[in-house]
Amino acid sequence: MSLLTDLTGAPPGTTTRALILRLSAIGAVLAGTAGAFAYAGGWLSPGALTPSRVINRFEDVNGRHPGFRRNHAKGMCVAGTFAASGAGARVSRAGVFVQGRVTPVEGRVALAGGQPYAADAETTVRSLALRFRLPDGEEWRTGMNDIPVFPVRTPEAFAEQLLAAKPDPATGRPEPERLRAFYAAHPESAAAAALIRARTVTAGFADGTYRSLNAFRFVAADGRATPVRFAYLPERDAAPATDARSPGADRNFLFDDLAAALRREPLRWRLVVTLGQPGDPTDDATTPWPVDRETIDAGTLTLTGATPEAPGNCRDINFDPLVLPDGIAPSDDPLLSARSAAYSQSFTRRAGEATLPSAVTRTPNHGAAL
Ligand code: HEM
């Protein structure tokens, strides 16, 4: 048996023509694979937006901060449980909604933006990301923000907006002309920005409302699909932020307040699922749905503790919004697959880099533990 035969796995007696055909087939597979990599890497389309280019854009705008998330870089881990009310089972067969089921949850609260050591500011967008571990090995990963709508409709607009909002090194602020041009080209973003500016900014993480912004599809036991958006509403009354707070005394005051509140008592949020009607946009996170839509109170999230980011905890979770259990499916929102691809690229880069401790770990007035 020749070396060639060994390599191709051809049985003895195979003709030369058959061998050539077989080798050509292998060559075609290899070429196809190389082509797929070239396509995914954007080498075949220098103008196309690839996950790698999106993450390069974050690094261009924010600088490189090895080991940190390229967005929502400053964060802290939280943990608790989700207790299902049973009402969600009407629209989703996901195990997490079975009446009485209590699912362990690991999560991360964070501030939007790519600066891991920025001082906390009340107006910075706050986020809550959660990973539910279902008994049969399924997971539901989700990330939500405390704003009413998302500022852009498409991944391309997201990348454009990042650049338009890049601070001018001379002033430390975005160039107004660039922002004006962006909003002129994207009226949907101008409308969304007005809604975001008009929101009530609450005092901290503990009384924030965290919204999916993207639509998903809940799938019931009988296969019926319902478009949904969902939000976690705080049990606490929301207290509007006051201007009196100054980050001067504690650059991590938002995180420290939450950690202190969780040391005193558990904090609770209700998961409220809004059911979309035909015609409600599922592919446009800049547009709110009508306020009169039916909602379902699907259960209670209880957070019981906070921990600084460290190897092996929430720091190393990729809260990919497309990791979904049976009973929850993506919508046609183009942001969802872009998020999944960009988070994966961000995760791959940060996982391979040496990192400094999180700013939240280094807060002087944390005491011994969060
Ligand atoms: C094309 C649009 C978007 C892009 C390119 C993008 C990009 C990113 C990136 C790169 C990260 C860091 C991921 C990691 O390293 O683990 C991130 C985190 C996050 N994003 Fe997005 N994002 C987009 C849209 C959205 C939308 C629509 C939401 C809606 C709520 C959202 C919510 C979050 C949250 C909550 C986190 C923090 C997750 C965590 O704590 O790990 N993003 N985003």
Side-chain angles (χ1 to χ4, degrees):
M1 198 183 290
S2 72
L3 179 63
L4 200 64
T5 318
D6 282 345
L7 286 175
T8 57
T14 304
T15 62
T16 308
R17 192 162 166 276
L19 275 176
I20 289 170
L21 277 175
R22 195 176 279 237
L23 283 174
S24 310
I26 293 170
V29 170
L30 289 175
T33 308
F37 273 105
Y39 173 75
W43 306 325
L44 304 179
S45 45
L49 191 62
T50 61
S52 188
R53 287 191 185 124
V54 171
I55 299 303
N56 290 347
R57 176 72 51 97
F58 276 108
E59 292 179 357
D60 171 38
V61 168
N62 299 309
R64 277 196 70 241
H65 303 283
F68 289 97
R69 282 164 166 77
R70 273 26 180 195
N71 197 8
H72 297 248
K74 187 178 185 184
M76 176 175 81
C77 301
V78 289
T81 56
F82 176 76
S85 68
R90 197 185 104 204
V91 284
S92 170
R93 63 185 177 224
V96 70
F97 296 127
V98 170
Q99 183 164 21
R101 174 86 52 91
V102 177
T103 303
V105 174
E106 302 152 274
R108 182 172 180 269
V109 289
L111 295 177
Q115 302 292 348
Y117 293 105
D120 291 1
E122 274 150 343
T123 49
T124 307
V125 171
R126 297 167 210 157
S127 60
L128 172 67
L130 300 172
R131 171 165 78 168
F132 300 73
R133 294 222 220 199
L134 283 67
D136 46 8
E138 285 186 306
E139 290 192 12
W140 181 18
R141 301 191 196 181
T142 179
M144 294 148 296
N145 288 342
D146 73 339
I147 44 179
V149 288
F150 200 64
V152 295
R153 188 167 55 199
T154 63
E156 291 75 16
F158 188 97
E160 282 174 48
Q161 190 215 25
L162 272 179
L163 201 56
K166 180 178 178 171
D168 175 352
T171 63
R173 304 187 63 80
E175 286 176 36
E177 203 41 55
R178 277 180 150 188
L179 274 182
R180 262 197 294 278
F182 172 78
Y183 286 124
H186 294 280
E188 74 285 2
S189 292
L195 290 174
I196 293 168
R197 269 196 305 275
R199 78 191 190 281
T200 301
V201 175
T202 67
F205 280 109
D207 62 358
T209 293
Y210 301 96
R211 299 175 193 280
S212 70
L213 305 179
N214 297 126
F216 289 82
R217 284 183 312 124
F218 276 9
V219 183
D222 63 3
R224 199 171 25 96
T226 310
V228 298
R229 286 175 174 175
F230 53 85
Y232 285 84
L233 271 56
E235 185 185 62
R236 287 190 167 195
D237 289 339
T242 60
D243 291 339
R245 297 298 300 265
S246 144
D250 175 1
R251 290 170 60 82
N252 302 333
F253 69 94
L254 288 170
F255 292 99
D256 287 348
D257 280 1
L258 178 65
L262 286 170
R263 274 198 299 271
R264 286 192 295 274
E265 59 182 355
L267 294 171
R268 294 187 180 80
W269 282 261
R270 286 186 307 119
L271 170 55
V272 175
V273 180
T274 301
L275 310 186
Q277 291 281 329
D280 292 345
T282 52
D283 61 352
D284 181 0
T286 65
T287 308
W289 284 354
V291 289
D292 62 356
R293 292 295 178 252
E294 183 186 353
T295 60
I296 289 180
D297 188 334
T300 303
L301 170 73
T302 305
L303 295 185
T304 50
T307 326
E309 289 185 291
N313 67 12
C314 79
R315 194 201 71 170
D316 297 335
I317 300 175
N318 171 8
F319 292 96
D320 176 339
L322 291 186
V323 175
L324 299 166
D326 179 47
I328 305 180
S331 67
D332 56 351
D333 188 332
L335 294 183
L336 282 173
S337 50
R339 286 178 71 186
S340 180
Y343 295 13
S344 164
Q345 178 66 213
S346 172
F347 182 86
T348 305
R349 288 193 195 182
R350 64 191 173 85
E353 297 164 340
T355 185
L356 294 169
S358 157
V360 181
T361 318
R362 302 197 314 185
T363 298
N365 55 358
H366 263 147
L370 287 173

